[in-house]
Amino acid sequence: DGDDRGPARVAVAAPSEPALRQVEDLVQELCSGGARKGKQYSARVRNVVEYGAFIDLPNGSSGLLHISEVAEEALKSMDGVLAVGDQVDVLCTGHDQNGNPRF
């Protein structure tokens, strides 16, 4: 806390491209509070908004489940789809520019 040097940078090295991707994913998971791209989680809906729902993972990490990821068919509204407190299974699809997980 109180560090005003800007974003931290991490340099990693690995013996192969797949190993490098694995290390990068692990660093991202550690820096984003524990959500790993490509991993499925059981989570709770914290808030529902017009463009999706904010999801809390059991480990304290949270992120956005975008409306386009909620159902296979396009949804025009989140009304009646999810409610605060619902338990949902989500897949981490990546992280936003702030390191928050996207589901």
Side-chain angles (χ1 to χ4, degrees), residues 66-89:
H66 193 267
I67 190 171
S68 65
E69 301 290 339
V70 174
E72 290 195 22
E73 67 277 355
L75 297 175
K76 294 181 181 180
S77 168
M78 290 294 293
D79 292 339
V81 178
L82 293 174
V84 172
D86 282 355
Q87 285 295 127
V88 292
D89 290 327

Side-chain angles (χ1 to χ4, degrees), residues 4-84:
D4 60 357
R5 293 180 290 176
R9 294 178 191 239
V10 176
V12 296
S16 66
E17 188 71 23
L20 180 61
R21 295 290 157 242
Q22 211 172 11
V23 170
E24 287 174 337
D25 287 347
L26 181 58
V27 169
Q28 183 65 41
E29 180 178 355
L30 293 170
C31 293
S32 66
R36 188 174 201 173
K37 182 179 178 181
K39 188 170 178 183
Q40 188 168 347
Y41 298 91
S42 180
R44 187 183 62 80
V45 175
R46 177 175 24 109
N47 190 24
V48 179
V49 293
E50 65 185 56
Y51 50 87
F54 288 94
I55 305 297
D56 290 333
L57 298 181
N59 66 10
S61 182
S62 63
L64 175 67
L65 172 60
H66 193 267
I67 190 171
S68 65
E69 301 290 339
V70 174
E72 290 195 22
E73 67 277 355
L75 297 175
K76 294 181 181 180
S77 168
M78 290 294 293
D79 292 339
V81 178
L82 293 174
V84 172

